[in-house]
Structure formats: C-alpha cells, structure tokens
Amino acid sequence: KAVICNHLGYNVGGAEKGVNCPESIKQWYHETMNKMKNPQKGVAYLNAVITPGTVIQILILQDKIRSKLTGKKHFIILANTHLYFHSCAENVRLMQTKIMHDMVIAVEKDLINTYGGEEKANILKIVAGDLNAKHDSGPVKYLTGETIPEKFLGWYTGGRDQYIEGLTLVPELKLTSAIDFDKVKYTTFVNNFSGIIDHILYDEEIVEQTKYVSAPKHEEVVQDIGLPSEVFPSDHIAQVVDLRWR
C-alpha cells in the first residue's frame, strides 16, 4: 500500500498502489502524523518535510542467471534518491531518509512473503544518490545501522518551530558505505563547499565490493576553479563500484 506517502500528503497514485506496508511502520507514521498535525507544534515541520521536490525511486531487479544457477531467487532492491539540499534542514533529510528506509523494508518483506520465506529469496539492498549529507550526518548514520535518538542534534536544525519531541528512528537496515572516507575527500567541489554528499550504501552480508573507480586527480578538478567545468559537466563526481554476490 501507499500508506507511508499518503499519510504525509504525497500523491503516489492511490491507496492500492505499491506493496503492503508492515503494521509497525504504519503505526509509527500514524503516531508521528498526529504530532505533526498539531497546530501549536508540528505543522511547521510537516510543511518543511512535504514542500521540497524530492525524488525517491525504488527499483526491484532480479538476477535471473544467479537465480537459475543457485535455485534461489536473487533480488536487488535499489533505492535512488536526491534529498533536500539546505544546510539547515537535516531534520527534513532525516524524515526523507526514514521514508526511503521504510519503503525498502516494505518491499523486502513483500518479496519474502511472495516467495515463501527468507530461505527462498536472497535480497540485496542498495541505497545510492545525492543524500546532501556528510558521512557523519544523521541520514548516513541511520542507514548504516545507528539509532537516531529524539535529542539528536539534527532534529534541531530547522529551529524551535520545527522541533517535535519524541521522534526516534530505529533502523532495520545496516548498510555499508562503498566509499572509503579516509581516501575520498569529496564528491562535489564548488566555490563554497567541498565534501562527500553522494553515497553508495549496500548490504555487505549479501555482496562484497570488488572495485571502486578512483576519483579524478585534484588538479584536474580545480583547473577551472571547481565543478562543473569544461572537463566535468556536473558539479558531482560519479561514484562507481563493482559488487559481487557472496
């Protein structure tokens, strides 16, 4: 069902579209929406969450060759997104990430139910895209398995009017970054900012990373001051990796 998005006011084609949503997820959004609809405390945050034109795309792919060779269905759930950019809006990105996380979990549980249990389906989860979030930020911490408590600093980035008490994010995903943060210093380099905000996160229990396509030399990036340039048409550097089934 489209329960998550419909709760938040997004039009995704009606309540019968998509996959079934686990009751625990629906209950969380029901309780959270009651807080966010409070005219005294919550509406400002609700408006901040639903206003940005953010895209979350969930694809389900099947490796038919691997499935045939092993006799077990091999699926890839790929979540691709571009989260809200504003530097004072980590609270918005946290909720956007929560929505994406729950959509992935809902799809995974639907696949497991459809094919008769976890032993009959091997499911790889990947989250990739421009998260507009540094590697030590709330959205990345959450996707890599850390609980985001209600007093987490990111909840306060929208100011007092957008803070709601009692929002805690407990992850069901524990993904690993394909980017070595000690070696890679930035994925974007513009006149007022450089850093890692583009990410590829994957389930390392299902696959292993075999290759990371190295970034261009720093001298090449800054030869025209920054990005984009005559050499690089985007203000982001493509992140490309090879993953192999375990």
Side-chain angles (χ1 to χ4, degrees), residues 5 16 22 46 62 75 82 108 115 140 154 156 163 167 210 218 227 237 239 241 244:
C5 295
E16 298 306 315
L46 175 60
Q62 182 181 357
F75 291 105
H82 187 173
E108 180 185 31
Y115 290 95
V140 177
Y156 297 90
Y163 178 73
L167 291 186
T210 59
H218 180 68
L227 303 177
I237 298 171
Q239 302 301 297
V241 301
R244 180 171 60 196

Side-chain angles (χ1 to χ4, degrees), residues 148-239:
I148 305 300
E150 64 175 300
K151 298 297 183 181
F152 183 72
L153 186 61
W155 291 124
Y156 297 90
T157 54
R160 182 178 299 175
D161 290 342
Q162 292 184 21
Y163 178 73
I164 301 177
E165 295 182 355
L167 291 186
T168 299
L169 306 185
V170 180
E172 294 186 53
L173 294 176
K174 188 176 182 180
L175 304 179
T176 297
S177 175
I179 300 173
D180 187 337
F181 299 128
D182 292 327
K183 296 180 179 179
V184 179
K185 301 305 179 184
Y186 54 80
T187 62
T188 185
F189 195 103
V190 294
N191 60 352
N192 61 348
F193 176 81
S194 67
I196 299 172
I197 58 175
D198 305 278
H199 299 270
I200 300 174
L201 305 168
Y202 68 96
D203 188 345
E204 66 175 351
E205 293 185 357
I206 306 296
V207 295
E208 60 179 332
Q209 181 176 332
T210 59
K211 185 177 181 180
Y212 173 83
V213 177
S214 300
K217 294 180 180 179
H218 180 68
E219 293 76 14
E220 296 174 331
V221 173
V222 299
Q223 68 181 9
D224 291 317
I225 300 178
L227 303 177
S229 66
E230 290 186 1
V231 179
F232 303 101
S234 172
D235 59 340
H236 295 263
I237 298 171
Q239 302 301 297

